[in-house]
Amino acid sequence: MEIILITDIAGVGYKNDIVNVKAGFGRNYLIPQGFALLANDSNRKIVAENVRQAAHKAEKLKKDAEDIAAAIGDLIIDIRTVVGESGRIFGRVTNTQVADVLKSKGFDIDRKKITVDDVKSVGTYSALIDLHKEVKHKVTLNVIAAED
């Protein structure tokens, strides 16, 4: 029996795949649970259109991420932090601090998409911004001592 999967099913296939399964499995479990559709001509056309639209949306998201990365460019972010006499910082530089500075410069990026190197003292470091699964961008962080 040929069916079109609506969701990913372990051991069977992935969403929008057309797979052959035993008739009882498809008729008694996959179709009634809403995990699959019967692979007739009309359902095949609907799924093909959905795949085409999803590809178009994914391409647009990637293009938007590339545009943001280009806009950020070689931006150097100054992070002010409290520093001891030896030059080591108290606490740490977090992704939230980087996100706040980016927001003040006009880039609204979620803090969860930012990975900061381990910062222990004043100096230059880098942070990686994950804009899309295929688009990642490095930003330079300039950690400087805060003035009292």
Side-chain angles (χ1 to χ4, degrees):
M1 166 181 222
E2 272 195 332
I3 58 168
I4 302 169
L5 295 176
I6 296 174
T7 60
D8 295 346
I9 306 289
V12 178
Y14 298 102
K15 182 177 180 177
N16 296 326
D17 283 353
I18 297 175
V19 295
N20 282 315
V21 295
K22 292 188 177 182
F25 182 53
R27 194 173 40 247
N28 297 327
Y29 177 68
L30 294 175
I31 294 173
Q33 293 293 323
F35 296 144
L37 296 171
L38 193 58
N40 57 23
D41 289 337
S42 63
N43 285 341
R44 287 176 196 256
K45 288 178 185 174
I46 291 169
V47 168
E49 179 63 21
N50 289 342
V51 168
R52 189 184 66 77
Q53 288 180 1
H56 179 67
K57 286 180 185 176
E59 186 62 33
K60 184 180 181 326
L61 288 174
K62 182 179 176 186
K63 175 80 169 97
D64 292 345
E66 289 171 345
D67 291 344
I68 291 170
I72 292 173
D74 295 333
L75 183 68
I76 297 175
I77 298 174
D78 289 335
I79 305 284
R80 298 188 183 281
T81 187
V82 180
V83 178
E85 291 180 16
S86 64
R88 291 181 56 89
I89 66 171
F90 293 122
R92 57 184 294 205
V93 174
T94 64
N95 55 355
T96 304
Q97 288 174 302
V98 176
D100 290 342
V101 172
L102 284 171
K103 189 171 207 147
S104 70
K105 297 199 184 273
F107 302 106
D108 190 17
I109 296 173
D110 185 20
R111 67 178 173 81
K112 295 174 188 163
K113 295 183 177 192
I114 300 172
T115 307
V116 180
D117 288 347
D118 192 25
V119 178
K120 296 183 187 278
S121 61
V122 173
T124 304
Y125 298 91
S126 65
L128 185 67
I129 303 172
D130 185 10
L131 298 168
H132 184 268
K133 67 181 179 182
E134 298 175 14
V135 179
K136 301 192 182 355
H137 188 72
K138 275 199 173 200
V139 175
T140 303
L141 303 178
N142 189 16
V143 179
I144 53 180
E147 312 257 330
D148 290 332

